[in-house]
PDB file of all heavy atoms in Angstrom:
ATOM      1  N   PRO A  22       1.040  -1.430  -7.474  1.00  0.00           N
ATOM      2  CA  PRO A  22      -0.102  -0.587  -7.108  1.00  0.00           C
ATOM      3  C   PRO A  22      -1.432  -0.965  -7.759  1.00  0.00           C
ATOM      4  O   PRO A  22      -2.472  -0.444  -7.360  1.00  0.00           O
ATOM      5  CB  PRO A  22       0.332   0.805  -7.570  1.00  0.00           C
ATOM      6  CG  PRO A  22       1.285   0.544  -8.693  1.00  0.00           C
ATOM      7  CD  PRO A  22       1.998  -0.729  -8.342  1.00  0.00           C
ATOM      8  N   LEU A  47      -6.535  -5.009  -1.728  1.00  0.00           N
ATOM      9  CA  LEU A  47      -5.644  -3.941  -2.157  1.00  0.00           C
ATOM     10  C   LEU A  47      -4.947  -4.165  -3.506  1.00  0.00           C
ATOM     11  O   LEU A  47      -4.696  -3.191  -4.217  1.00  0.00           O
ATOM     12  CB  LEU A  47      -4.625  -3.637  -1.047  1.00  0.00           C
ATOM     13  CG  LEU A  47      -4.008  -2.235  -1.081  1.00  0.00           C
ATOM     14  CD1 LEU A  47      -5.072  -1.139  -1.079  1.00  0.00           C
ATOM     15  CD2 LEU A  47      -3.056  -2.037   0.081  1.00  0.00           C
ATOM     16  N   GLY A  97      -0.850  -5.646  -1.651  1.00  0.00           N
ATOM     17  CA  GLY A  97      -0.794  -4.464  -2.507  1.00  0.00           C
ATOM     18  C   GLY A  97       0.556  -3.769  -2.358  1.00  0.00           C
ATOM     19  O   GLY A  97       1.136  -3.748  -1.281  1.00  0.00           O
ATOM     20  N   GLY A  98       1.057  -3.205  -3.432  1.00  0.00           N
ATOM     21  CA  GLY A  98       2.305  -2.435  -3.381  1.00  0.00           C
ATOM     22  C   GLY A  98       3.484  -3.301  -3.017  1.00  0.00           C
ATOM     23  O   GLY A  98       3.740  -4.325  -3.644  1.00  0.00           O
ATOM     24  N   ASP A  99       4.181  -2.921  -1.959  1.00  0.00           N
ATOM     25  CA  ASP A  99       5.332  -3.680  -1.454  1.00  0.00           C
ATOM     26  C   ASP A  99       4.957  -4.277  -0.099  1.00  0.00           C
ATOM     27  O   ASP A  99       4.330  -3.602   0.712  1.00  0.00           O
ATOM     28  CB  ASP A  99       6.541  -2.736  -1.291  1.00  0.00           C
ATOM     29  CG  ASP A  99       7.760  -3.487  -0.795  1.00  0.00           C
ATOM     30  OD1 ASP A  99       7.905  -3.659   0.435  1.00  0.00           O
ATOM     31  OD2 ASP A  99       8.560  -3.914  -1.643  1.00  0.00           O
ATOM     32  N   PRO A 100       5.357  -5.541   0.150  1.00  0.00           N
ATOM     33  CA  PRO A 100       4.918  -6.175   1.400  1.00  0.00           C
ATOM     34  C   PRO A 100       5.473  -5.519   2.668  1.00  0.00           C
ATOM     35  O   PRO A 100       4.909  -5.688   3.741  1.00  0.00           O
ATOM     36  CB  PRO A 100       5.441  -7.608   1.280  1.00  0.00           C
ATOM     37  CG  PRO A 100       6.274  -7.688   0.064  1.00  0.00           C
ATOM     38  CD  PRO A 100       6.095  -6.454  -0.737  1.00  0.00           C
ATOM     39  N   VAL A 102       5.993  -2.172   3.127  1.00  0.00           N
ATOM     40  CA  VAL A 102       5.614  -0.767   3.328  1.00  0.00           C
ATOM     41  C   VAL A 102       4.187  -0.764   3.859  1.00  0.00           C
ATOM     42  O   VAL A 102       3.238  -1.001   3.110  1.00  0.00           O
ATOM     43  CB  VAL A 102       5.707   0.054   2.021  1.00  0.00           C
ATOM     44  CG1 VAL A 102       5.281   1.501   2.263  1.00  0.00           C
ATOM     45  CG2 VAL A 102       7.125   0.024   1.455  1.00  0.00           C
ATOM     46  N   PHE A 103       4.036  -0.558   5.131  1.00  0.00           N
ATOM     47  CA  PHE A 103       2.732  -0.584   5.790  1.00  0.00           C
ATOM     48  C   PHE A 103       1.901  -1.790   5.367  1.00  0.00           C
ATOM     49  O   PHE A 103       0.694  -1.677   5.158  1.00  0.00           O
ATOM     50  CB  PHE A 103       1.962   0.716   5.532  1.00  0.00           C
ATOM     51  CG  PHE A 103       2.635   1.911   6.126  1.00  0.00           C
ATOM     52  CD1 PHE A 103       3.136   2.930   5.319  1.00  0.00           C
ATOM     53  CD2 PHE A 103       2.803   2.025   7.485  1.00  0.00           C
ATOM     54  CE1 PHE A 103       3.776   4.032   5.867  1.00  0.00           C
ATOM     55  CE2 PHE A 103       3.438   3.121   8.050  1.00  0.00           C
ATOM     56  CZ  PHE A 103       3.927   4.128   7.242  1.00  0.00           C
ATOM     57  N   GLY A 104       2.545  -2.937   5.245  1.00  0.00           N
ATOM     58  CA  GLY A 104       1.832  -4.109   4.758  1.00  0.00           C
ATOM     59  C   GLY A 104       1.821  -5.268   5.744  1.00  0.00           C
ATOM     60  O   GLY A 104       1.385  -6.357   5.401  1.00  0.00           O
ATOM     61  N   THR A 127       5.841  -0.032  -4.616  1.00  0.00           N
ATOM     62  CA  THR A 127       4.916   0.492  -3.619  1.00  0.00           C
ATOM     63  C   THR A 127       4.078   1.651  -4.168  1.00  0.00           C
ATOM     64  O   THR A 127       4.577   2.479  -4.944  1.00  0.00           O
ATOM     65  CB  THR A 127       5.666   0.952  -2.347  1.00  0.00           C
ATOM     66  OG1 THR A 127       4.708   1.514  -1.447  1.00  0.00           O
ATOM     67  CG2 THR A 127       6.722   1.994  -2.626  1.00  0.00           C
ATOM     68  N   SER A 128       2.838   1.716  -3.721  1.00  0.00           N
ATOM     69  CA  SER A 128       1.974   2.827  -4.131  1.00  0.00           C
ATOM     70  C   SER A 128       2.515   4.163  -3.622  1.00  0.00           C
ATOM     71  O   SER A 128       2.206   5.212  -4.174  1.00  0.00           O
ATOM     72  CB  SER A 128       0.558   2.612  -3.585  1.00  0.00           C
ATOM     73  OG  SER A 128       0.562   2.666  -2.169  1.00  0.00           O
ATOM     74  N   ALA A 129       3.352   4.101  -2.582  1.00  0.00           N
ATOM     75  CA  ALA A 129       3.904   5.335  -2.025  1.00  0.00           C
ATOM     76  C   ALA A 129       4.823   6.035  -3.018  1.00  0.00           C
ATOM     77  O   ALA A 129       4.982   7.251  -2.985  1.00  0.00           O
ATOM     78  CB  ALA A 129       4.680   5.020  -0.741  1.00  0.00           C
ATOM     79  N   VAL A 179       1.712  10.413   2.489  1.00  0.00           N
ATOM     80  CA  VAL A 179       0.863   9.852   3.539  1.00  0.00           C
ATOM     81  C   VAL A 179       0.056   8.691   2.981  1.00  0.00           C
ATOM     82  O   VAL A 179      -0.693   8.850   2.006  1.00  0.00           O
ATOM     83  CB  VAL A 179      -0.092  10.914   4.133  1.00  0.00           C
ATOM     84  CG1 VAL A 179      -0.796  10.355   5.367  1.00  0.00           C
ATOM     85  CG2 VAL A 179       0.654  12.193   4.471  1.00  0.00           C
ATOM     86  N   LEU A 180       0.204   7.527   3.585  1.00  0.00           N
ATOM     87  CA  LEU A 180      -0.635   6.384   3.244  1.00  0.00           C
ATOM     88  C   LEU A 180      -1.741   6.283   4.292  1.00  0.00           C
ATOM     89  O   LEU A 180      -1.549   6.728   5.438  1.00  0.00           O
ATOM     90  CB  LEU A 180       0.197   5.096   3.233  1.00  0.00           C
ATOM     91  CG  LEU A 180       1.214   4.987   2.080  1.00  0.00           C
ATOM     92  CD1 LEU A 180       2.541   5.598   2.469  1.00  0.00           C
ATOM     93  CD2 LEU A 180       1.403   3.538   1.661  1.00  0.00           C
ATOM     94  N   MET A 181      -2.844   5.677   3.909  1.00  0.00           N
ATOM     95  CA  MET A 181      -3.989   5.547   4.821  1.00  0.00           C
ATOM     96  C   MET A 181      -4.375   6.914   5.371  1.00  0.00           C
ATOM     97  O   MET A 181      -4.688   7.050   6.554  1.00  0.00           O
ATOM     98  CB  MET A 181      -3.652   4.574   5.975  1.00  0.00           C
ATOM     99  CG  MET A 181      -3.324   3.186   5.489  1.00  0.00           C
ATOM    100  SD  MET A 181      -2.696   2.103   6.776  1.00  0.00           S
ATOM    101  CE  MET A 181      -0.966   2.548   6.805  1.00  0.00           C
ATOM    102  N   GLY A 182      -4.345   7.910   4.517  1.00  0.00           N
ATOM    103  CA  GLY A 182      -4.473   9.279   5.012  1.00  0.00           C
ATOM    104  C   GLY A 182      -5.691  10.037   4.524  1.00  0.00           C
ATOM    105  O   GLY A 182      -5.696  11.270   4.554  1.00  0.00           O
ATOM    106  N   VAL A 207      -3.925  11.076  -4.743  1.00  0.00           N
ATOM    107  CA  VAL A 207      -3.967  10.120  -5.854  1.00  0.00           C
ATOM    108  C   VAL A 207      -4.788   8.922  -5.403  1.00  0.00           C
ATOM    109  O   VAL A 207      -4.366   8.145  -4.546  1.00  0.00           O
ATOM    110  CB  VAL A 207      -2.552   9.664  -6.264  1.00  0.00           C
ATOM    111  CG1 VAL A 207      -2.619   8.888  -7.569  1.00  0.00           C
ATOM    112  CG2 VAL A 207      -1.594  10.844  -6.354  1.00  0.00           C
ATOM    113  N   GLU A 208      -5.975   8.822  -5.960  1.00  0.00           N
ATOM    114  CA  GLU A 208      -6.919   7.769  -5.555  1.00  0.00           C
ATOM    115  C   GLU A 208      -6.833   6.607  -6.536  1.00  0.00           C
ATOM    116  O   GLU A 208      -6.842   6.820  -7.758  1.00  0.00           O
ATOM    117  CB  GLU A 208      -8.340   8.354  -5.576  1.00  0.00           C
ATOM    118  CG  GLU A 208      -9.441   7.404  -5.181  1.00  0.00           C
ATOM    119  CD  GLU A 208     -10.822   7.964  -5.523  1.00  0.00           C
ATOM    120  OE1 GLU A 208     -11.082   8.283  -6.707  1.00  0.00           O
ATOM    121  OE2 GLU A 208     -11.646   8.112  -4.593  1.00  0.00           O
ATOM    122  N   ARG A 209      -6.740   5.375  -5.997  1.00  0.00           N
ATOM    123  CA  ARG A 209      -6.659   4.167  -6.837  1.00  0.00           C
ATOM    124  C   ARG A 209      -5.618   4.322  -7.945  1.00  0.00           C
ATOM    125  O   ARG A 209      -5.898   4.093  -9.136  1.00  0.00           O
ATOM    126  CB  ARG A 209      -8.034   3.823  -7.415  1.00  0.00           C
ATOM    127  CG  ARG A 209      -9.060   3.447  -6.350  1.00  0.00           C
ATOM    128  CD  ARG A 209     -10.323   2.854  -6.938  1.00  0.00           C
ATOM    129  NE  ARG A 209     -11.084   3.819  -7.708  1.00  0.00           N
ATOM    130  CZ  ARG A 209     -12.014   4.624  -7.190  1.00  0.00           C
ATOM    131  NH1 ARG A 209     -12.314   4.555  -5.916  1.00  0.00           N
ATOM    132  NH2 ARG A 209     -12.655   5.475  -7.956  1.00  0.00           N
ATOM    133  N   ALA A 210      -4.424   4.693  -7.518  1.00  0.00           N
ATOM    134  CA  ALA A 210      -3.340   4.922  -8.472  1.00  0.00           C
ATOM    135  C   ALA A 210      -3.106   3.704  -9.356  1.00  0.00           C
ATOM    136  O   ALA A 210      -3.023   2.579  -8.849  1.00  0.00           O
ATOM    137  CB  ALA A 210      -2.058   5.238  -7.709  1.00  0.00           C
ATOM    138  N   TRP A 212      -5.058   2.121 -11.165  1.00  0.00           N
ATOM    139  CA  TRP A 212      -6.250   1.326 -11.467  1.00  0.00           C
ATOM    140  C   TRP A 212      -6.943   2.007 -12.661  1.00  0.00           C
ATOM    141  O   TRP A 212      -6.693   3.188 -12.917  1.00  0.00           O
ATOM    142  CB  TRP A 212      -7.226   1.283 -10.272  1.00  0.00           C
ATOM    143  CG  TRP A 212      -6.703   0.600  -9.042  1.00  0.00           C
ATOM    144  CD1 TRP A 212      -5.392   0.400  -8.696  1.00  0.00           C
ATOM    145  CD2 TRP A 212      -7.486   0.049  -7.968  1.00  0.00           C
ATOM    146  NE1 TRP A 212      -5.313  -0.244  -7.478  1.00  0.00           N
ATOM    147  CE2 TRP A 212      -6.578  -0.463  -7.011  1.00  0.00           C
ATOM    148  CE3 TRP A 212      -8.857  -0.045  -7.732  1.00  0.00           C
ATOM    149  CZ2 TRP A 212      -7.007  -1.082  -5.838  1.00  0.00           C
ATOM    150  CZ3 TRP A 212      -9.283  -0.656  -6.554  1.00  0.00           C
ATOM    151  CH2 TRP A 212      -8.364  -1.181  -5.624  1.00  0.00           C
ATOM    152  N   PRO A 237      -8.502   3.402  -1.494  1.00  0.00           N
ATOM    153  CA  PRO A 237      -7.099   3.725  -1.201  1.00  0.00           C
ATOM    154  C   PRO A 237      -6.637   4.972  -1.952  1.00  0.00           C
ATOM    155  O   PRO A 237      -6.892   5.094  -3.145  1.00  0.00           O
ATOM    156  CB  PRO A 237      -6.341   2.493  -1.703  1.00  0.00           C
ATOM    157  CG  PRO A 237      -7.192   1.943  -2.808  1.00  0.00           C
ATOM    158  CD  PRO A 237      -8.620   2.267  -2.446  1.00  0.00           C
ATOM    159  N   ALA A 238      -5.977   5.849  -1.239  1.00  0.00           N
ATOM    160  CA  ALA A 238      -5.430   7.044  -1.873  1.00  0.00           C
ATOM    161  C   ALA A 238      -4.138   7.437  -1.157  1.00  0.00           C
ATOM    162  O   ALA A 238      -3.954   7.150   0.025  1.00  0.00           O
ATOM    163  CB  ALA A 238      -6.436   8.193  -1.814  1.00  0.00           C
ATOM    164  N   ILE A 239      -3.270   8.092  -1.928  1.00  0.00           N
ATOM    165  CA  ILE A 239      -1.994   8.594  -1.408  1.00  0.00           C
ATOM    166  C   ILE A 239      -2.100  10.110  -1.354  1.00  0.00           C
ATOM    167  O   ILE A 239      -2.608  10.723  -2.296  1.00  0.00           O
ATOM    168  CB  ILE A 239      -0.855   8.226  -2.391  1.00  0.00           C
ATOM    169  CG1 ILE A 239      -0.671   6.726  -2.499  1.00  0.00           C
ATOM    170  CG2 ILE A 239       0.452   8.931  -2.029  1.00  0.00           C
ATOM    171  CD1 ILE A 239       0.029   6.094  -1.342  1.00  0.00           C
TER     172      ILE A 239
HETATM  173  N1  SAH B   1       1.895  -2.125   1.055  1.00  0.00           N
HETATM  174  C1  SAH B   1       1.133  -1.100   0.377  1.00  0.00           C
HETATM  175  C2  SAH B   1       0.518  -0.125   1.370  1.00  0.00           C
HETATM  176  C3  SAH B   1      -0.513  -0.753   2.291  1.00  0.00           C
HETATM  177  S1  SAH B   1      -1.270   0.384   3.397  1.00  0.00           S
HETATM  178  C4  SAH B   1       2.024  -0.403  -0.642  1.00  0.00           C
HETATM  179  O1  SAH B   1       3.245  -0.569  -0.605  1.00  0.00           O
HETATM  180  O2  SAH B   1       1.498   0.304  -1.496  1.00  0.00           O
HETATM  181  C5  SAH B   1      -2.732   0.818   2.533  1.00  0.00           C
HETATM  182  C6  SAH B   1      -2.598   2.184   1.914  1.00  0.00           C
HETATM  183  O3  SAH B   1      -1.784   2.119   0.770  1.00  0.00           O
HETATM  184  C7  SAH B   1      -3.867   2.794   1.419  1.00  0.00           C
HETATM  185  O4  SAH B   1      -4.602   3.401   2.465  1.00  0.00           O
HETATM  186  C8  SAH B   1      -3.357   3.835   0.464  1.00  0.00           C
HETATM  187  O5  SAH B   1      -2.874   4.964   1.146  1.00  0.00           O
HETATM  188  C9  SAH B   1      -2.164   3.124  -0.120  1.00  0.00           C
HETATM  189  N2  SAH B   1      -2.442   2.500  -1.433  1.00  0.00           N
HETATM  190  C10 SAH B   1      -2.264   1.212  -1.751  1.00  0.00           C
HETATM  191  N3  SAH B   1      -2.552   1.004  -3.051  1.00  0.00           N
HETATM  192  C11 SAH B   1      -2.906   2.195  -3.559  1.00  0.00           C
HETATM  193  C12 SAH B   1      -3.297   2.645  -4.852  1.00  0.00           C
HETATM  194  N4  SAH B   1      -3.375   1.827  -5.902  1.00  0.00           N
HETATM  195  N5  SAH B   1      -3.576   3.950  -4.998  1.00  0.00           N
HETATM  196  C13 SAH B   1      -3.495   4.814  -3.975  1.00  0.00           C
HETATM  197  N6  SAH B   1      -3.142   4.441  -2.735  1.00  0.00           N
HETATM  198  C14 SAH B   1      -2.841   3.155  -2.536  1.00  0.00           C
END
Side-chain angles (χ1 to χ4, degrees):
L47 203 55
D99 181 275
V102 179
F103 296 115
T127 177
S128 65
V179 189
L180 290 89
M181 299 171 277
V207 191
E208 180 193 57
R209 296 191 293 272
W212 296 23
I239 296 284

